[in-house]
């Protein structure tokens, strides 16, 4: 379970629906591994995203953003989230979704929704024992998207 301990965490929060609009980043220090590798790579990111969605979809407050989505549409949203996180943390994935602003405009995501999603993401990261440094980097990445996601 060492790999799970290094899991990626995210989500962005509010990877509620596709598209993040954030360009991929690679670790500034060439000697340090990318955040993607330090999080455990693709499989770890996929596990984290699955757990995160598993917390959001049935949530009384956040579940409204998934009403009307088929099982297939939810899977697509999860896959886009995996691809985004993979790409944004320096991994080899190609993110083909829409930018965050386009994806979230009109949903009416509130500050309260944002805060709850960050809390759920943090719970997911803690479940997989993501180290503090990597957890902080991922949460900072997600936090940089807030202005493109929160409308109210």
């Amino acid at each position: 379970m060492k790999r799970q301990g290094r899991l990626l965490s995210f989500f962005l929060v509010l990877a509620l629906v596709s598209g993040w609009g954030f360009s991929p980043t690679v670790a500034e220090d060439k000697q340090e591994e990318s955040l993607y590798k330090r999080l455990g790579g693709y499989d770890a990111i996929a596990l984290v995203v699955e757990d995160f969605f598993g917390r959001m979809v049935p949530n009384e407050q956040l579940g409204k953003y998934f009403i009307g989505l088929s099982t297939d549409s939810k899977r697509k949203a999860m896959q886009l989230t995996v691809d985004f996180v993979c790409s944004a943390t320096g991994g080899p994935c190609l993110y083909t979704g829409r930018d965050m602003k386009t994806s979230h405009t009109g949903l009416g995501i509130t500050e309260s929704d944002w805060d709850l999603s960050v809390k759920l993401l943090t719970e997911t990261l803690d479940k997989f024992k993501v180290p503090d440094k990597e957890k902080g980097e991922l949460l900072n990445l997600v936090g940089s998207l807030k202005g493109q996601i929160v409308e109210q």
Side-chain angles (χ1 to χ4, degrees), residues 32-57:
E32 182 176 41
E33 287 188 319
S34 67
L35 180 56
Y36 169 81
K37 287 185 179 181
R38 290 182 285 131
L39 288 169
Y42 186 89
D43 291 343
I45 290 169
L47 284 172
V48 167
V49 170
E50 182 178 0
D51 186 87
F52 178 54
F53 270 72
R55 292 169 191 270
M56 286 193 302
V57 172

Side-chain angles (χ1 to χ4, degrees), residues 4-5 16 25 44-46 56 63 69 81 101 118 128:
Q4 286 182 343
L16 298 171
T25 59
I45 290 169
M56 286 193 302
L69 293 181
T81 302
K101 182 107 175 126
V118 171
F128 291 106

Side-chain angles (χ1 to χ4, degrees), residues 22-91:
F22 190 84
S23 60
T25 59
V26 180
E28 297 271 332
D29 181 353
K30 298 288 185 189
Q31 294 177 341
E32 182 176 41
E33 287 188 319
S34 67
L35 180 56
Y36 169 81
K37 287 185 179 181
R38 290 182 285 131
L39 288 169
Y42 186 89
D43 291 343
I45 290 169
L47 284 172
V48 167
V49 170
E50 182 178 0
D51 186 87
F52 178 54
F53 270 72
R55 292 169 191 270
M56 286 193 302
V57 172
N59 184 274
E60 186 175 320
Q61 181 176 336
L62 299 178
K64 64 187 173 191
Y65 298 111
F66 299 95
I67 292 174
L69 293 181
S70 66
T71 300
D72 184 61
S73 292
K74 290 174 192 170
R75 282 191 204 129
K76 181 178 180 183
M78 283 195 303
Q79 185 61 56
L80 284 168
T81 302
V82 169
D83 292 345
F84 172 78
V85 174
C86 173
S87 177
T89 58

Side-chain angles (χ1 to χ4, degrees), residues 10-21 49-82 84-85 95 97-121 142 145-146 148-151:
F10 166 67
F11 147 70
L12 108 83
V13 153
L14 297 180
L16 298 171
V17 269
S18 56
W20 290 57
V49 170
E50 182 178 0
D51 186 87
F52 178 54
F53 270 72
R55 292 169 191 270
M56 286 193 302
V57 172
N59 184 274
E60 186 175 320
Q61 181 176 336
L62 299 178
K64 64 187 173 191
Y65 298 111
F66 299 95
I67 292 174
L69 293 181
S70 66
T71 300
D72 184 61
S73 292
K74 290 174 192 170
R75 282 191 204 129
K76 181 178 180 183
M78 283 195 303
Q79 185 61 56
L80 284 168
T81 302
V82 169
F84 172 78
V85 174
Y95 173 70
R98 298 169 294 165
D99 64 87
M100 289 298 105
K101 182 107 175 126
T102 300
S103 295
H104 296 88
T105 295
L107 291 176
I109 295 171
T110 66
E111 186 83 24
S112 175
D113 295 332
W114 175 267
D115 292 343
L116 178 55
S117 66
V118 171
K119 177 181 180 272
L120 296 177
L121 176 59
V142 170
L145 303 172
K146 182 178 179 180
Q148 299 171 53
I149 295 172
V150 175
E151 290 186 293

